[in-house]
Amino acid sequence: MSVLTDDTLPASPRRIRDEMVVFVLMAALLAAVPLTGIYPFFVMQALCFALLACAFNLLIGYGGLLSFGHAMFLGSAGYFTAHALKEWGLAPELGILIGTAGAAGIGVVTGVVAIRRQGIYFSMITLALSQLLYFIYLQTPFTHGEDGIQGIPQGRLFGILDLSNSTVLYYVILAGFLGGFLVVFRAVNSPFGEVLKAIRENEQRAISLGYKTDHYKLLAFILSGTLAGFAGSLKVFVAQNASLTDVHWTMSGEIVLITLVGGLGTMFGPVVGAFVIIAMQQYLAGFGQWVTVIQGVIFVVCVLTFRRGIVGEIAHYFRRSL
Amino acid sequence: MQALYAQLLVGLINGSFYALLSLGLAVIFGMLNIINFAHGAVYMMGAFCAYFLLNVMGIGYWPALIIAPIAVGIFGMILERTMLQWLSGLDHLYGLLLTFGLALIIQGVFQNYFGSSGLPYAIPSELQGGLNLGFMFLPIYRGWVVVFSLIVCIATWYLIEKTRLGANLRAATENPTLVRAFGINVPRMITLTYGLGVGLAALAGVLSAPINQVRPLMGADLIIVVFAVVVIGGMGSIMGSIITGFALGVIEGLTKYFYPEASNTVVFVLMVLVLLVKPTGLTGRATT
């Protein structure tokens, strides 16, 4: 079995230093966005998808587990947050907490089932589980079925930050994204992350070394699901709705596509991929169904000729790990 | 009771499609180590192929039953030659991603030209009408689908388990290098296997055209259910796929009668239960 990424060595101080430099650059660039006049809604949407893809990448890039059902965390957290804000009138911070905690709970339940198989079966199981949740959301009344939950009030975060102001909202989303990114960064470069990589490379050997690999995989799955849920909760404040689209398998496919284009198993790949794919969707919105075809073509081209993704190719060229 | 039997029949028909599709998935996985995400899309192509044959060329159901699987099978073989073969030796996951991309392309193109609504395909005149069996009314076409699918499934099983060709195929699954040393053209066999798997899916598509209407997304949700069927049954055994497919169809039909709200989800719930009790699947071997 060939490896998914070039990154098989333990985290070296040089690599962590490289990544910190890029992280600071990225944070500074993103913080400057409102000054440039770029449409903030687009960047906020891309940031939510970037965090989502980073969470997904934690599983595939470092654990070797390809989840084809990550939309279930995005959509579920979105529904929970939206319901808490609109029906219960809770404050935004509580809404985010409920959404994220809900996704974590779903992560525990689905994780226990999904990690029982590896490789290709894991992908099929996560896809089936997310389809199960999709049908449940289609039938339960609180999601309002095909209509979704619309017109969600944004409110004031911690009672002070007015989220209906787009600049304030932008910095809140940015803070959420950077925080989530640092969690992934920390997890990947910790002893926990090294064990995950060991499991990806050779699970039998990791077991023989005394690691309870199931515990590590479950923990990674829950962490990934929780962060994906966090992204889903943040997205509610940007889009102000929660709908079935976010739980559908096409969304799971989009998450995979974003990460593949950016670079599987690279720290910054999912972020770059999110901006590329979201920008593409914005510009091609007028082409209707052809967007799906173009996404399919990107999948095929990436798999056949461009398996390292954008950031992976750059890192390979400079012989660095990003 | 009439309604129960009717739902059982619907379950058997869906079970036929599950069996034909999961059988093809298992055959393809055995040889190519790829889970063919485009399986739902080629199922849809089979149905559209029958539709075109009838409406453009005036070729009816019976020839379509042979022409459509062959045409779609050739299309599959072209895909295998031009794309899938380059993935051998890479991680399984790339095959899944590539075929997912292919499914998006195929379904997207059909959706562009035909929208999302269904096109009607008439039941052939020989199979119209129904039989009164005393306890229920059996539409002949539906009975035909179940019987014919069963025959095709068993023929495929016979081909793979009992013939010389099948023995070569199974040997190549175990150790392709050694089989090549015996002078058997394994790459060609892989291409033909992919064509066979895809052809079975297209055949299921033709069979379903008069029942489910011809829609670009008719295979999109179906394939996810079939994945769950494959997880439940395991891909280690051909007969296992067939039996699991039919059994799950029947269970789904029974659920439609006794608790309709759960009919969409029952297969997935069963998958969860099987994974908790016997993670390798009902017939599966302990492979990854």
Side-chain angles (χ1 to χ4, degrees), chain A residues 139-318:
Chain A
Q139 288 170 353
T140 42
F142 96 95
T143 63
H144 299 279
E146 305 272 356
D147 298 335
I149 305 178
Q150 308 274 351
I152 296 153
Q154 288 161 310
R156 285 173 171 273
L157 188 70
F158 305 119
I160 22 176
L161 298 169
D162 181 12
L163 296 181
S164 57
N165 177 326
S166 69
T167 313
V168 175
L169 180 62
Y170 178 79
Y171 282 107
V172 168
I173 300 284
L174 178 60
F177 162 73
L178 293 175
F181 186 90
L182 283 176
V183 172
V184 175
F185 184 72
R186 179 74 195 110
V188 167
N189 290 314
S190 66
F192 169 74
E194 298 301 336
V195 177
L196 271 190
K197 283 182 227 166
I199 295 172
R200 177 191 68 191
E201 295 306 320
N202 192 334
E203 181 163 3
Q204 301 305 323
R205 188 169 293 169
I207 293 172
S208 76
L209 287 171
Y211 290 109
K212 291 199 160 48
T213 57
D214 276 357
H215 291 188
Y216 282 89
K217 286 195 285 184
L218 181 59
L219 202 56
F221 192 84
I222 296 169
L223 182 61
S224 174
T226 310
L227 282 169
F230 181 53
S233 291
L234 290 180
K235 189 169 163 292
V236 168
F237 294 92
V238 180
Q240 287 185 270
N241 68 41
S243 68
L244 282 170
T245 327
D246 287 351
V247 214
H248 198 242
W249 56 264
T250 46
M251 182 58 80
S252 295
E254 244 167 65
I255 300 167
V256 180
L257 181 66
I258 286 173
T259 316
L260 183 68
V261 167
L264 293 175
T266 60
M267 213 51 231
F268 296 93
V271 184
V272 175
F275 276 87
V276 171
I277 298 295
I278 301 294
M280 189 198 81
Q281 283 174 346
Q282 294 263 320
Y283 287 114
L284 299 181
F287 289 89
Q289 277 305 320
W290 288 112
V291 176
T292 316
V293 179
I294 294 166
Q295 285 185 339
V297 172
I298 298 177
F299 257 110
V300 171
V301 170
C302 276
V303 171
L304 287 177
T305 64
F306 195 61
R307 279 187 286 276
R308 289 197 187 93
I310 297 170
V311 172
E313 287 291 349
I314 295 173
H316 184 72
Y317 182 76
F318 290 108

Side-chain angles (χ1 to χ4, degrees), chain A residues 1-5 60 64-66 68 112-114 116-121 123-136 138-139 203-204 248-250 252-254 256-257 260 264 287-304 307-308, chain B residues 25 29 33-35 37 82-84 86-87 89-98 100-102 104-105 107-109 111-113 116 217 220-221 223-225 227-228 230-231 234-236 260-266 268-269 271-272 275-281 285 287-288:
Chain A
M1 189 152 116
S2 89
V3 290
L4 286 164
T5 64
I60 172 70
L65 297 167
L66 175 81
F68 232 105
V112 168
V113 176
R116 297 189 143 243
R117 300 298 299 272
Q118 289 100 40
I120 213 84
Y121 282 98
S123 308
M124 292 196 283
I125 293 165
T126 45
L127 177 61
L129 288 171
S130 77
Q131 189 77 347
L132 173 62
L133 275 175
Y134 175 84
F135 281 120
I136 291 175
L138 186 65
Q139 288 170 353
E203 181 163 3
Q204 301 305 323
H248 198 242
W249 56 264
T250 46
S252 295
E254 244 167 65
V256 180
L257 181 66
L260 183 68
L264 293 175
F287 289 89
Q289 277 305 320
W290 288 112
V291 176
T292 316
V293 179
I294 294 166
Q295 285 185 339
V297 172
I298 298 177
F299 257 110
V300 171
V301 170
C302 276
V303 171
L304 287 177
R307 279 187 286 276
R308 289 197 187 93
Chain B
L25 279 182
F29 185 73
N33 267 325
I34 280 176
I35 282 290
F37 216 126
T82 52
M83 296 182 208
L84 293 174
W86 305 110
L87 298 183
L90 290 175
D91 196 290
H92 297 348
L93 300 176
Y94 286 117
L96 187 77
L97 297 180
L98 180 68
F100 179 72
L102 291 174
L104 288 184
I105 296 173
Q107 279 162 357
V109 167
Q111 249 187 312
N112 265 305
Y113 289 109
S116 291
L217 292 181
D221 285 339
I223 189 64
I224 302 178
V225 182
F227 279 175
V230 163
V231 172
M235 284 187 289
E261 289 81 5
S263 60
N264 283 330
T265 48
V266 64
F268 302 120
V269 173
M271 179 195 79
V272 171
L275 282 170
L276 292 176
V277 177
K278 192 170 180 299
T280 50
R285 288 169 291 181
T287 51
T288 55

Side-chain angles (χ1 to χ4, degrees), chain A residues 71-110 133-134 136-138 140-144 148-150 152-153 225-226 228-237 241-244 246-247:
Chain A
M72 64 183 159
F73 301 116
L74 175 82
S76 302
Y79 275 135
F80 299 155
T81 302
H83 190 76
L85 292 176
K86 195 175 178 194
E87 303 295 325
W88 297 341
L90 292 181
E93 59 274 14
L94 287 176
I96 294 174
L97 188 68
I98 288 175
T100 312
I106 291 174
V108 174
V109 176
T110 53
L133 275 175
Y134 175 84
I136 291 175
Y137 290 136
L138 186 65
T140 42
F142 96 95
T143 63
H144 299 279
I149 305 178
Q150 308 274 351
I152 296 153
T226 310
F230 181 53
S233 291
L234 290 180
K235 189 169 163 292
V236 168
F237 294 92
N241 68 41
S243 68
L244 282 170
D246 287 351
V247 214

Side-chain angles (χ1 to χ4, degrees), chain B residues 9 15 36 51 56 61 108 128 158 177 180 191 203 214-215 248 251 258 263 265:
Chain B
L9 182 64
N36 188 27
Y51 177 82
V56 179
Y61 177 83
Q128 277 171 2
Y158 186 85
T177 323
R180 284 180 88 160
T191 309
L203 180 69
V214 183
R215 288 181 301 120
L248 284 171
I251 292 173
F258 288 106
S263 60
T265 48

Side-chain angles (χ1 to χ4, degrees), chain B residues 54-74:
Chain B
L54 184 67
N55 290 292
V56 179
M57 293 186 235
I59 297 172
Y61 177 83
W62 299 105
L65 214 47
I66 296 164
I67 298 171
I70 292 176
V72 179
I74 290 171

Side-chain angles (χ1 to χ4, degrees), chain B residues 64-230:
Chain B
L65 214 47
I66 296 164
I67 298 171
I70 292 176
V72 179
I74 290 171
F75 172 77
M77 287 192 261
I78 294 170
L79 291 184
E80 198 279 331
R81 281 282 92 183
T82 52
M83 296 182 208
L84 293 174
Q85 67 153 327
W86 305 110
L87 298 183
S88 64
L90 290 175
D91 196 290
H92 297 348
L93 300 176
Y94 286 117
L96 187 77
L97 297 180
L98 180 68
T99 49
F100 179 72
L102 291 174
L104 288 184
I105 296 173
I106 297 169
Q107 279 162 357
V109 167
F110 275 84
Q111 249 187 312
N112 265 305
Y113 289 109
F114 302 98
S116 291
S117 53
L119 303 167
Y121 186 93
I123 295 174
S125 54
E126 296 86 349
L127 299 174
Q128 277 171 2
L131 292 172
N132 196 342
L133 299 180
F135 58 92
M136 72 174 292
F137 180 78
L138 174 72
I140 292 177
Y141 185 76
R142 293 178 177 239
W144 151 256
V145 169
V146 175
V147 173
F148 184 66
S149 307
L150 202 57
I151 293 170
V152 172
C153 283
I154 289 171
T156 312
W157 170 81
Y158 186 85
L159 175 76
I160 290 171
E161 298 288 336
K162 302 289 170 194
T163 64
R164 189 173 172 78
L165 181 70
N168 289 345
L169 203 83
R170 280 178 290 129
T173 308
E174 295 292 327
N175 191 339
T177 323
L178 196 62
V179 174
R180 284 180 88 160
F182 286 128
I184 291 166
N185 188 341
V186 173
R188 190 171 67 198
M189 216 147 85
I190 291 177
T191 309
L192 286 173
T193 307
Y194 192 72
L196 171 73
V198 163
L200 283 172
L203 180 69
V206 181
L207 288 173
S208 96
I211 300 176
N212 294 326
Q213 293 205 319
V214 183
R215 288 181 301 120
L217 292 181
M218 65 194 287
D221 285 339
L222 182 66
I223 189 64
I224 302 178
V225 182
V226 174
F227 279 175
V229 171
V230 163

